[in-house]
Amino acid sequence: MTTAENARIQLDAQGLVTAICQDEATGEVLMVAYMNPDAVARTLESGEMHFYSRSRQAPWHKGETSGAFLHVSSAQVDCDGDVLLFKVRADGPACHTGKRSCFFTPLPESPEYDRSDAGPGVLSEVFQVIRQRQQERPEGSYTTSLFESGTARIAQKVGEEGVEVALAATTKATTDLPGEVADLLYHTLVLLADAGVSPDDVWAELRKRRG
């Protein structure tokens, strides 16, 4: 098995990297999944594909329950470092539907779209809407009213929402806690936009503190 030496892998905001599995003999793409550093290490050590499930928030060894293991022949990193390509030998169907490959559905001319609102990606979407409100200032928008009230009022709201979060936690009001935290995050994003700071700056600071 060959691996790229001294390659740097670029992880996304969730600490994951996209992994493509390709049949070594035919070149057919069998599946696409996600890996965290532990899954990459397990894959390189064992020679069998390991992934990280975003839905279950847990590692999984491909084939552990189905017997359809994927044996790694080679592993490469793309030029940007944000996609991994594994050439594999499959013991059975790669897709959970029983198909050989996960790619068996033709793309129609007018496809329908579903959007996942789960996970931290929604923060980026909310921030984009906040920035749009900041620039366009539509009437009747609560976000517009915050920007027009000024920095001091926005900062005050962040403080108030922080107190609400603390109270919900200390009084064991667990059913109220998600909503209170959402209020705090929203007003914090408004404060960032008002200050001209991007959430990416916050994510970068958090990455420094992972140790």
Side-chain angles (χ1 to χ4, degrees), residues 127 131 192 195-209:
F127 187 72
R131 288 295 303 273
L192 290 176
V197 177
S198 168
D200 289 337
D201 299 320
V202 179
W203 311 151
E205 187 62 33
L206 286 172
R207 290 188 191 100
K208 296 177 184 177
R209 306 183 185 188

Side-chain angles (χ1 to χ4, degrees), residues 5-211:
E5 295 182 359
N6 301 320
R8 295 190 66 83
I9 298 174
Q10 300 296 321
L11 303 177
D12 64 16
Q14 295 176 280
L16 305 176
V17 61
T18 302
I20 299 171
C21 293
Q22 181 183 38
D23 187 281
E24 67 164 349
T26 66
E28 181 182 13
V29 175
L30 301 178
M31 64 175 293
V32 176
Y34 295 87
M35 305 174 77
N36 61 5
D38 180 65
V40 173
R42 289 174 182 268
T43 295
L44 297 179
E45 290 171 2
S46 68
E48 296 178 349
M49 292 304 307
H50 288 71
F51 301 105
Y52 185 83
S53 171
R54 296 180 300 171
S55 60
R56 298 194 305 270
Q57 296 286 293
W60 59 289
H61 180 189
K62 176 65 177 174
E64 189 170 31
T65 56
S66 66
F69 295 97
L70 295 179
H71 304 277
V72 180
S73 300
S74 66
Q76 287 84 33
V77 186
D78 85 328
C79 57
D80 293 322
D82 56 2
V83 178
L84 305 181
L85 174 64
F86 293 89
K87 293 185 179 180
V88 300
R89 291 177 290 103
D91 283 342
C95 184
H96 72 281
T97 64
K99 299 285 188 179
R100 170 176 168 77
S101 167
C102 292
F103 297 91
F104 57 86
T105 304
L107 183 66
E109 292 184 3
S110 300
E112 297 181 357
Y113 296 89
D114 293 322
R115 182 186 297 273
S116 175
D117 292 327
V122 71
L123 291 175
S124 296
E125 296 179 17
V126 171
F127 187 72
Q128 291 175 10
V129 174
I130 289 172
R131 288 295 303 273
Q132 185 177 8
R133 298 290 189 272
Q134 184 183 27
Q135 296 168 4
E136 300 176 356
R137 303 293 176 98
E139 294 185 6
S141 165
Y142 174 67
T143 306
T144 296
S145 69
L146 283 174
F147 284 120
E148 292 181 345
S149 66
T151 302
R153 176 55 181 159
I154 297 172
Q156 181 183 7
K157 285 296 297 180
V158 172
E160 292 173 357
E161 298 301 341
V163 171
E164 293 293 333
V165 169
L167 286 173
T170 55
T171 60
K172 307 300 183 183
T174 54
T175 56
D176 296 333
L177 192 55
E180 298 296 352
V181 171
D183 287 341
L184 176 59
L185 290 174
Y186 161 76
H187 286 91
T188 300
L189 291 176
V190 173
L191 186 67
L192 290 176
D194 182 71
V197 177
S198 168
D200 289 337
D201 299 320
V202 179
W203 311 151
E205 187 62 33
L206 286 172
R207 290 188 191 100
K208 296 177 184 177
R209 306 183 185 188
R210 283 185 298 187

